[in-house]
Amino acid sequence: QRHQTQLCAAMGKTDTIISGTIFFALTGLIVVILSFCSPSMSKDRGLTNLLIITATICCWLLWLITYMMQMNPLIAPKME
């Protein structure tokens, strides 16, 4: 029973990470597609898309690290 509860909890965490990753991937893809609709970015389109992708990856990493740190929080150091 306990093993099954731990397994379900781990699956819930994995599902959250996967859905968050999909959210950031779709958000980055939508913004890249919208950048093609902007006439003011036509001459620097490659740089614009690179910056959008870099910003999306950095935001995803920030979210992922923050989420994973909350999975096993360190409340206080244990003095031995």
Side-chain angles (χ1 to χ4, degrees), residues 2 4 6 14-16 18 20 22 25 34-35 42-43 56-57 59 64-66 74 77 80:
R2 183 176 177 205
Q4 186 178 10
Q6 290 174 345
T14 305
D15 291 344
T16 304
I18 291 172
I22 291 171
L34 288 176
S35 75
S42 62
K43 68 177 184 177
T56 304
I57 291 171
C59 289
L64 183 66
I65 291 168
T66 304
L74 176 64
E80 294 182 321

Side-chain angles (χ1 to χ4, degrees), residues 5-67:
T5 305
Q6 290 174 345
L7 184 62
C8 289
M11 287 178 63
K13 293 174 184 176
T14 305
D15 291 344
T16 304
I17 291 173
I18 291 172
S19 62
T21 302
I22 291 171
F23 170 77
F24 277 100
L26 288 176
T27 303
L29 183 66
I30 290 169
V31 174
V32 167
I33 291 170
L34 288 176
S35 75
F36 283 105
C37 299
S38 175
S40 64
M41 297 182 196
S42 62
K43 68 177 184 177
D44 292 328
R45 188 168 315 279
L47 179 62
T48 301
N49 289 339
L50 176 68
L51 292 174
I52 290 169
I53 292 168
T54 303
T56 304
I57 291 171
C58 288
C59 289
W60 172 74
L61 274 175
L62 178 69
W63 170 80
L64 183 66
I65 291 168
T66 304
Y67 181 78

